[in-house]
Amino acid sequence: MNILLVNDDGIESKGLEILARALTPHGKVYVSAPAVQQSAKSHAISLSSTLKIEQAPLIPGTLGALKVYGTPADATRAGLSLFNIEFDLVVSGINDGPNIAMDILYSGTVGAAKEAKIYGVNAIAISADNLELDYLYDEAIKTLDEVIENKSYINDGILNINFPKFSFEKPKGVIYTHQGRRYYHSEFVKKTNEEDTYYLKGSLTRYNEELTSDVWAFENGYISITPVTLSRTDFDLLNKLNK
């Protein structure tokens, strides 16, 4: 199996190292990642500018690495094109911070995985509350082993996997979930010492989440696996309009 690793935290992120170690037993692993931090870039691509792409030092266990001066989706495109290899799977992450609920709309980690799926390659996005979790490496291996062995990644969408809050010594198990509702509400706050300059002050807006949501799983100590599709069509509304 040929596996491409991508992310949005940048080529030097510890998350790539963890994934490389976890996935090497499953095949030949290559890396294509942004040169610098690209969080919250969603599915942006560079259309109106050139892209600088360099060979990067190999992460242990990998066979090739590209440093892409662009977005996470750019990195996915570059890896799929420039390695001249037919990839079987793209794994994005491990992101430093969860990508649950409305985070999915903004996430460069998920965006990079979606770009792979547009190209017809199965994809998994992986995030964790932070990359220093004591259990993360062992649980990443265990989860990826099960997903790959059962071929759960072969579907019409992307698997979005999140490891739970740091307050849990280790995950209680795995729950297959749907996207939750919570989101970050932002306020524009003006800096008093700089004219016409603002910064975003964010706070979480919460809802009563169902027990099958990724938010509930994350906050209650479970690994969540959420299938995410590329289609944005509201079929319920479409059927009503057609009637």
Side-chain angles (χ1 to χ4, degrees):
M1 177 186 289
N2 294 320
I3 304 170
L4 177 65
L5 302 186
V6 297
N7 74 357
D8 74 355
D9 286 330
I11 191 75
E12 296 182 0
S13 172
K14 180 179 177 180
L16 286 175
E17 297 179 13
I18 296 172
L19 281 182
R21 291 167 62 195
L23 288 168
T24 297
H26 293 284
K28 298 177 180 178
V29 179
Y30 298 79
V31 175
S32 180
V36 296
Q37 171 67 252
Q38 293 284 311
S39 290
K41 294 294 185 181
S42 188
H43 205 151
I45 56 175
S46 300
L47 287 178
S48 57
S49 61
T50 58
L51 275 179
K52 182 179 180 181
I53 302 172
E54 300 175 341
Q55 297 289 330
L58 291 179
I59 294 171
T62 66
L63 300 176
L66 297 176
K67 179 191 291 188
V68 181
Y69 290 81
T71 68
D74 287 334
T76 299
R77 285 190 172 200
L80 293 178
S81 301
L82 299 182
F83 282 123
N84 197 27
I85 291 170
E86 186 173 341
F87 285 100
D88 303 290
L89 177 64
V90 170
V91 183
S92 182
I94 297 173
N95 189 67
D96 189 4
N99 279 305
I100 55 179
M102 298 307 166
D103 300 344
I104 293 173
L105 300 177
Y106 304 99
S107 168
T109 304
V110 177
K114 286 184 176 180
E115 186 68 13
K117 199 62 187 181
I118 288 174
Y119 277 76
V121 182
N122 291 302
I124 302 170
I126 305 178
S127 304
D129 192 37
N130 67 76
L131 298 180
E132 303 301 325
L133 297 169
D134 291 337
Y135 69 74
L136 187 56
Y137 174 60
D138 291 337
E139 290 296 332
I141 290 177
K142 179 180 176 182
T143 303
L144 284 167
D145 284 352
E146 292 179 1
V147 166
I148 291 174
E149 182 178 345
N150 296 328
K151 299 191 181 212
S152 307
Y153 62 90
I154 299 178
N155 56 69
D156 293 332
I158 299 102
L159 293 182
N160 184 41
I161 300 175
N162 279 272
F163 290 93
K165 289 178 71 171
F166 68 90
S167 52
F168 294 92
E169 184 175 343
K170 72 176 195 175
K172 298 176 182 177
V174 176
I175 300 178
Y176 289 92
T177 56
H178 63 81
Q179 182 180 351
R181 300 174 63 199
R182 83 170 200 183
Y183 70 94
Y184 285 93
H185 172 75
S186 296
E187 296 180 5
F188 286 85
V189 180
K190 189 172 183 179
K191 285 191 173 181
T192 56
N193 59 339
E194 295 184 38
E195 187 177 356
D196 300 328
T197 302
Y198 297 79
Y199 67 92
L200 289 179
K201 181 179 180 181
S203 60
L204 272 178
T205 299
R206 297 180 176 275
Y207 295 86
N208 289 326
E209 299 282 354
E210 298 177 20
L211 302 186
T212 51
S213 81
D214 53 6
V215 177
W216 188 92
F218 174 77
E219 294 184 343
N220 287 274
Y222 292 89
I223 299 168
S224 70
I225 301 181
T226 308
V228 180
T229 65
L230 293 176
S231 175
R232 304 293 289 272
T233 304
D234 184 337
F235 286 99
D236 289 338
L237 179 56
L238 178 63
N239 290 334
K240 290 177 182 178
L241 294 172
N242 280 329
K243 290 179 181 178

